[in-house]
Amino acid sequence: MSWLSKKGSAANTETSNLPISRRGFVLLGLQIGLAGSLAWRMRQLQVVDAERYHLLAEENRINMRLIAPERAELYDRSGEPLAINTKNYRVVMVREQAGDPEAMLDKLSRLINIPDHQRRRVLKEIKQKSAFVPVSVAEHLNWEDFAEVNANAPALPGIQPEVGLSRRYPHGRATAHIVGYVGRVSQYDLDKIRDSGREVDPVLQLPEFQIGKSGIERALDTRLRGQAGNQRIEVNAVGRVMNTLEVTDGVAGEDLHLTIDLNLQRYCNERLGDESAATVVMDVRSGDLLATTSNPSYDPNPFVLGISQSEYDLLLNDDHRPLHNKWASGAYPPGSTFKMVVALAALEAGVIGSETTHYCPGHLKLGKRKFHCWRRGGHGWVNLRKSLQQSCDVYYYEIARQVGIERIGEMARRLGLGVDLDIPMAALRSGLIPTKDWKQRVHEEGWLVGDTFNAGIGQGFVLSTPIQLAVMTSRIAAGSGVRPRLIRARNGTPLPVDPPEDTRVNPEHFRMIRKAMFSVVNSRRGTAYRSRVKDDNWRIAGKTGTSQVRNKVVKNEDVPWEERDHALFVGYAPADNPRYAVAVVVEHGGSGSKAAAPIARDILLKAREILETGTGGAEQGEAQTGKTRT
């Protein structure tokens, strides 16, 4: 081959090799870039973001779960338990371990009783929840049944006996309306919290968790329930618990000592008998509520365990309303017990003095209408003391007209009526002390003189609760604005007594009212004379009241029970050095002097016996009462 041929061939070969080298270079560059990107990403993941992804992975593996706190317990003033926690022996089922739930329930029912409605609930919940989540089958088993389930546990796969805590009320009916009860958290409870703009505490969504539903249990629920604990648990990909890593116990709620004396509380409950009634006993000096009863009562324990519909219907349809807390939320016309308020308003306004008299012919005419006194023949000329002693209505029509509803209302609120009382009680009502603006706003009508007449004798629009009447009586007896209180100590630490409010009432005017109230009980013409106590060291002062529930004047004996007048009495003892005040309301009891005053007398005597002598016997000494010595 010639040199030219060789040179041409070499040139062709060089030319043909150049494109291959360029492609290789491009591919090599791409490979280097890709490798660099992967290296940078790996560094980012493994070095820069390593801690963040480690935490994310840890969160997928480690879960936090809440532990229900132990609910605080309630005691009376001397340490007697009113609401306690007891062991709850229960049985739960885990579906993935049990296999066929219905077959396992059949086996379990041979050992313990499982009602049909409970069986249906279990099967429904098992379908709704994951296979590894326990479902409660039976609660509050007795020891024998619980022990039998434990003994047969090897033959019952998926059935787990557990021991938890449950609420119990050892004194049942006697304390139901003050302590209240707890129950399961319902969807209604959760919706109510959200509607109020508050956040739902996560502990409320724990299975079987219970909250206060009434009474102090409800009013102080957050304080009583305490703070939840938590546990760190290891779970697998589907959420099944594999291991418990750490447990932080919750903080129990604050144990509370109430001001209530259990012995006096029980006596009041028994003394009311079959009446639909309420009573409040208050320490005039400290404001301690010593007894607060509503009758008839109910046993709160079935509500904790799960009350049946038939039992609940019986309570709901009872015309004496056992579920209604009459002492806290029962609003009644105070009747003649309101006359002390009107008298004090008149004294403070300078409208009357102790010897100011008005003539009572049995009625007071206003236009064409007659406002009658309860005594058709009238009382003749009466002054302040006689007007209260004999409960003359005409006297209070007259002075109410002169004083006016605004000043009457102002005095009522100073004495604790028509206002919110600062005590922890669910469904506590404030009553009603009407004003001209209130009537215009609510009824779209102007205020009439006849409205003032009715208010002057505690009728018309005026409403008060038994607890408010007890506060009013205590303030008159003490001559100061004593404040009611229901909590005596927290976690064993006594709470200080709040200083009294300033009622801005002349002490001499209080003294004049107390003198008249003494005459109501201890003078022969007094409306409560038959309920006097003849012990000079324990004289009672008070005021009877009868509030109408119908407009028509008819004898109580001639109408059905639910149309009869309410009977009231407020009083205190001893009259010369007041210590205890009482308010009694007997629904449809007829006459305050006949139905309410004897109950109040017996309760005041029992208060002395229990709280001062410490005997607290079950029987009431009738020899001490005026009834047996008349």
Side-chain angles (χ1 to χ4, degrees):
M1 180 180 296
S2 67
W3 177 79
L4 290 174
S5 298
K6 290 181 179 179
K7 186 177 179 180
S9 177
N12 290 338
T13 301
E14 184 179 350
T15 303
S16 64
N17 286 338
L18 286 175
I20 296 175
S21 298
R22 292 193 187 99
R23 284 197 299 268
F25 181 76
V26 171
L27 288 175
L28 179 61
L30 290 175
Q31 288 174 348
I32 293 173
L34 180 60
S37 299
L38 289 174
W40 178 86
R41 183 58 179 163
M42 289 177 67
R43 180 183 180 280
Q44 182 75 17
L45 294 174
Q46 295 182 4
V47 178
V48 179
D49 294 335
E51 185 176 355
R52 183 168 69 91
Y53 285 107
H54 174 75
L55 290 174
L56 289 174
E58 189 70 13
E59 287 180 3
N60 286 333
R61 186 173 66 87
I62 306 299
N63 280 353
M64 300 291 290
R65 290 193 179 177
L66 291 176
I67 301 175
E70 182 177 348
R71 194 171 183 84
E73 297 186 331
L74 301 175
Y75 303 89
D76 87 329
R77 65 188 296 111
S78 60
E80 287 292 327
L82 305 179
I84 59 176
N85 299 315
T86 60
K87 289 183 178 179
N88 173 18
Y89 298 114
R90 63 190 180 196
V91 174
V92 300
M93 177 189 293
V94 180
R95 174 160 54 98
E96 70 173 2
Q97 300 171 6
D100 184 354
E102 293 197 47
M104 188 53 63
L105 287 175
D106 290 338
K107 292 179 68 174
L108 186 60
S109 62
R110 297 170 193 163
L111 301 176
I112 61 175
N113 179 40
I114 304 177
D116 290 341
H117 72 276
Q118 196 167 316
R119 183 187 180 97
R120 290 192 296 269
R121 177 190 61 78
V122 172
L123 293 174
K124 180 180 179 181
E125 288 189 19
I126 279 179
K127 292 178 181 178
Q128 294 173 340
K129 295 182 178 180
S130 301
F132 56 85
V133 175
V135 171
S136 174
V137 176
E139 299 267 346
H140 310 286
L141 297 175
N142 58 45
W143 173 250
E144 289 75 15
D145 287 345
F146 185 70
E148 190 161 4
V149 174
N150 273 277
N152 289 273
L156 299 169
I159 298 297
Q160 299 177 0
E162 295 181 348
V163 181
L165 290 178
S166 179
R167 204 65 158 172
R168 189 170 74 85
Y169 305 101
H171 305 288
R173 297 174 181 273
T175 59
H177 287 107
I178 184 168
V179 173
Y181 61 87
V182 298
R184 288 185 179 182
V185 182
S186 66
Q187 188 60 46
Y188 172 79
D189 295 322
L190 298 176
D191 292 341
K192 193 172 181 180
I193 293 172
R194 294 188 183 100
D195 291 343
S196 67
R198 293 175 292 157
E199 291 187 8
V200 175
D201 188 340
V203 76
L204 299 185
Q205 301 187 49
L206 289 176
E208 312 301 326
F209 191 78
Q210 293 185 321
I211 60 172
K213 297 287 188 173
S214 68
I216 290 176
E217 291 276 33
R218 177 181 168 188
L220 296 178
D221 180 67
T222 304
R223 187 183 295 273
L224 291 172
R225 86 167 74 128
Q227 298 177 6
N230 60 74
Q231 58 179 346
R232 294 175 68 240
I233 57 175
E234 186 177 7
V235 298
N236 62 12
V238 295
R240 187 174 297 109
V241 177
M242 307 301 292
N243 187 25
T244 300
L245 303 177
E246 182 183 355
V247 176
T248 302
D249 293 330
V251 179
E254 290 183 337
D255 290 343
L256 300 179
H257 281 72
L258 308 187
T259 58
I260 297 298
D261 181 88
L262 180 60
N263 288 329
L264 185 60
Q265 178 81 10
R266 284 194 293 213
Y267 176 79
C268 292
N269 193 266
E270 293 167 2
R271 181 60 183 85
L272 293 178
D274 296 329
E275 300 283 6
S276 178
T279 184
V280 176
V281 184
M282 185 170 165
D283 188 318
V284 169
R285 300 172 187 176
S286 66
D288 284 0
L289 297 174
L290 302 171
T292 57
T293 53
S294 179
N295 202 61
S297 189
Y298 65 95
D299 184 0
N301 289 295
F303 286 86
V304 180
L305 305 178
I307 191 170
S308 68
Q309 188 63 47
S310 59
E311 289 178 294
Y312 184 70
D313 287 342
L314 284 175
L315 294 171
L316 201 61
N317 297 325
D318 190 325
D319 61 357
H320 281 38
R321 301 179 301 156
L323 294 176
H324 183 59
N325 187 350
K326 300 179 179 72
W327 71 262
S329 55
Y332 309 91
S336 293
T337 64
F338 192 71
K339 289 175 179 176
M340 282 92 73
V341 175
V342 181
L344 279 169
L347 288 168
E348 289 290 298
V351 169
I352 62 169
S354 62
E355 297 305 319
T356 301
T357 59
H358 287 287
Y359 184 73
C360 171
H363 66 272
L364 182 64
K365 196 170 182 181
L366 180 65
K368 296 182 179 180
R369 182 181 174 185
K370 287 184 178 180
F371 287 79
H372 292 279
C373 183
W374 71 267
R375 186 175 183 179
R376 291 302 178 187
H379 293 92
W381 289 99
V382 293
N383 59 13
L384 174 61
R385 183 178 64 81
K386 288 185 178 180
S387 72
L388 281 176
Q389 176 197 97
Q390 301 174 36
S391 201
C392 174
D393 292 334
V394 169
Y395 185 90
Y396 288 92
Y397 294 148
E398 286 281 7
I399 66 173
R401 174 165 54 183
Q402 295 178 53
V403 174
I405 190 60
E406 299 300 337
R407 283 188 289 193
I408 292 173
E410 181 186 355
M411 179 57 66
R413 286 183 282 275
R414 291 188 207 174
L415 297 178
L417 304 180
V419 296
D420 293 326
L421 299 176
D422 187 20
I423 58 173
M425 179 53 52
L428 187 69
R429 292 184 64 180
S430 59
L432 175 62
I433 300 300
T435 63
K436 294 178 181 179
D437 290 341
W438 170 85
K439 187 183 179 188
Q440 185 64 52
R441 184 176 68 256
V442 175
H443 294 277
E444 298 182 349
E445 295 177 354
W447 188 264
L448 304 175
V449 176
D451 296 328
T452 303
F453 282 6
N454 286 329
I457 61 169
Q459 294 282 168
F461 300 117
V462 181
L463 295 173
S464 59
T465 63
I467 176 64
Q468 290 178 329
L469 292 176
V471 172
M472 175 196 76
T473 308
S474 294
R475 292 184 174 182
I476 292 173
S480 64
V482 59
R483 302 171 191 258
R485 71 171 192 159
L486 196 49
I487 309 300
R488 194 165 189 246
R490 287 198 180 105
N491 280 342
T493 303
L495 299 179
V497 175
D498 291 332
E501 297 178 14
D502 183 6
T503 61
R504 306 187 306 282
V505 175
N506 187 329
E508 178 61 19
H509 294 159
F510 273 135
R511 189 192 66 79
M512 291 162 61
I513 296 298
R514 289 195 294 268
K515 185 177 179 180
M517 292 175 70
F518 180 86
S519 182
V520 169
V521 182
N522 298 284
S523 296
R524 287 190 175 274
R525 300 193 67 181
T527 56
Y529 182 66
R530 287 182 296 180
S531 295
R532 72 195 185 283
V533 174
K534 299 193 72 174
D535 184 345
D536 289 339
N537 295 319
W538 199 256
R539 296 279 191 172
I540 295 175
K543 182 69 188 79
T544 57
T546 302
S547 63
Q548 294 180 341
V549 297
R550 62 188 186 283
N551 294 325
K552 205 169 162 184
V553 179
V554 183
K555 287 184 178 180
N556 284 297
E557 297 80 7
D558 297 336
V559 295
W561 173 81
E562 63 274 9
E563 295 182 17
R564 297 176 186 176
D565 298 334
H566 297 317
L568 301 93
F569 183 86
V570 298
Y572 58 87
D576 57 350
N577 186 23
R579 181 61 192 273
Y580 307 115
V582 65
V584 176
V585 177
V586 181
E587 289 187 335
H588 311 296
S591 165
S593 60
K594 293 180 180 178
I599 294 174
R601 172 203 62 204
D602 293 348
I603 289 174
L604 287 171
L605 286 169
K606 181 59 70 172
R608 177 176 68 165
E609 181 182 345
I610 292 174
L611 300 171
E612 297 192 3
T613 68
T615 55
E619 299 298 326
Q620 175 62 43
E622 292 189 2
Q624 294 179 313
T625 68
K627 183 176 180 180
T628 60
R629 296 190 178 195
T630 303

